[in-house]
Amino acid sequence: AWYVPCLASLETLQELCRKENLRCKSIGITNRNLKSYEVEYLCDYKVEEGKAYYLVKWKGWPESSNTWEPRKHLNCPLLVQNFLRDKNEYLSRVREGKALKVRNHVKALKPEIADYIVKKAKQRIALQRWKEELNRKKNHKAMILVENTVDLEGPPLDFYYINEYKPAPGINVLNGITTGCECADCPAEKCCPKEAGFILAYNKRKKLKIQPGLPIYECNSYCRCGPDCPNRIVQKGTPYSLCIFRTNNGRGWGVKTLQKIKTNSFVMEYVGEVITSEEAERRGQLYDNQGNTYLFDLDYDSDEFTVDAARYGNVSHFVNHSCDPNLQVFNVFIDNLDLRLPRIALFSTRTIKAGEELTFDYQMKGSIDLTSDSAEGLSPSKKRIRTVCKCGAVCCRGYLN
């Protein structure tokens, strides 16, 4: 049998069922709740005969089923609060950001105000669903939040969250490992880094102690040591709760930390599709025409492969550039010792406060051909067109390439 994935949301399917008076147990529509009503969001406001009414969008029902309900019948204070905040936000923006005292005796909203409120409500729902999707797919314990208080932009339409490299056909990102260390308590004399000819990358507090440019060799799946080994850091995923947020200075999406991050701490891994340099060149020309790209050359030992995070990636997909960054790139080897295919990890260069945006320098070694979705129009150093940098740092170079 052939199966085609349904692209409609659960709520859309529920609306169709109720519109056609159909029951479908698999999507939660039964005889018991076929005619049930729950407020999804508020669309409009009016006053008639001294009574306040809200136009209600009912969850799981088509918009044609929206009804005007008196305020006293609504038991949804948070949705009313969202409605009033969105209304005031729109009016403030119309007055060019000046504080605006909203009159309480308005009898009806202008259509453009109601339209904005509905768009904000739909955006809020879409971003909440995206947040839930990201947290279902991630493989680490820390949370991922999503926030947009700047514009009406919703989730990216063609982005798929992954936790590790997605190799193109013919590329093997899991080879070269057949044995591991026999340490009962890492690091011992023949621990993985020493076997590779390097020192252990972490100190006793599990913080980075090596200089940029040196590789990190972590213990692998064949090693005798357990999950609490001090040489297993990057492979555990980000330990910090992060927020994908909309920037207010034209850089699109960005990422900020919700927790304090100490100096030399592992923050996140950069993942995406692993493709050949030839394919990267082809895609790069297409991305140049679009004004952005996500190509990251794996050039630790050679220049045969590139990571493309345009469609497949994790939170790092949204990290912005800065000429004065708080993250540094390091090459990591765990279950693959092929020097052409290192994993890319981002470590903090200083203490980062909770609420501070995370950034790294797209021109730093190991990241020659990388830009972010959040920086529309940004270019890697290999691109021909020079792009103005918007990082705002005191030491800003002026251009990204």
Side-chain angles (χ1 to χ4, degrees), residues 292-327:
N292 53 35
T293 183
Y294 305 82
L295 300 177
F296 193 121
D297 288 342
L298 298 179
D299 55 1
Y300 171 71
D301 182 67
S302 63
D303 196 12
E304 295 183 44
F305 301 108
T306 298
V307 177
D308 182 4
R311 297 186 66 210
Y312 298 91
N314 61 3
V315 177
S316 63
H317 168 100
F318 301 97
V319 175
N320 269 311
H321 161 85
S322 176
C323 297
D324 183 22
N326 50 27
L327 300 178

Side-chain angles (χ1 to χ4, degrees), residues 41-73:
Y41 57 86
L42 304 176
C43 309
D44 205 346
Y45 170 87
K46 68 179 180 180
V47 175
E48 288 186 353
E49 298 180 355
K51 292 183 178 180
Y53 291 84
Y54 286 93
L55 183 60
V56 176
K57 166 64 173 69
W58 300 103
K59 188 174 183 179
W61 288 86
E63 292 184 4
S64 58
S65 299
N66 292 2
T67 58
W68 287 97
E69 301 293 333
R71 172 66 181 89
K72 64 180 181 178
H73 289 177

Side-chain angles (χ1 to χ4, degrees), residues 92-128:
S92 296
R93 289 183 179 183
V94 170
R95 297 296 179 90
E96 298 178 342
K98 296 180 180 179
L100 183 68
K101 187 174 181 180
V102 181
R103 296 170 296 174
N104 294 323
H105 60 271
V106 174
K107 292 188 175 181
L109 296 181
K110 293 182 179 179
E112 58 268 28
I113 301 177
D115 180 63
Y116 176 82
I117 290 172
V118 170
K119 288 179 179 178
K120 284 297 292 185
K122 290 181 176 180
Q123 178 203 50
R124 192 175 288 113
I125 293 170
L127 292 178
Q128 175 65 23

Side-chain angles (χ1 to χ4, degrees), residues 248-290:
N248 59 6
N249 59 355
R251 293 178 299 132
W253 295 103
V255 178
K256 61 184 176 182
T257 177
L258 300 176
Q259 301 172 249
K260 178 182 177 181
I261 301 176
K262 294 183 179 180
T263 308
N264 296 326
S265 299
F266 169 65
V267 179
M268 70 180 76
E269 192 172 352
Y270 190 88
V271 300
E273 291 182 88
V274 179
I275 57 177
T276 63
S277 296
E278 291 77 13
E279 175 63 13
E281 181 65 25
R282 187 190 70 81
R283 293 188 187 187
Q285 293 177 5
L286 295 175
Y287 295 154
D288 286 355
N289 295 330
Q290 298 169 4

Side-chain angles (χ1 to χ4, degrees), residues 29 33 36 63 107 135 152 159 164-165 174 185 204 215 242 259 266 279 282 314 322 327 387:
I29 301 298
N33 66 7
S36 67
E63 292 184 4
K107 292 188 175 181
N135 284 283
L152 292 170
F159 174 74
E164 55 190 21
Y165 283 161
L174 289 175
D185 185 18
K204 293 181 179 180
L242 305 174
Q259 301 172 249
F266 169 65
E279 175 63 13
R282 187 190 70 81
N314 61 3
S322 176
L327 300 178
T387 303

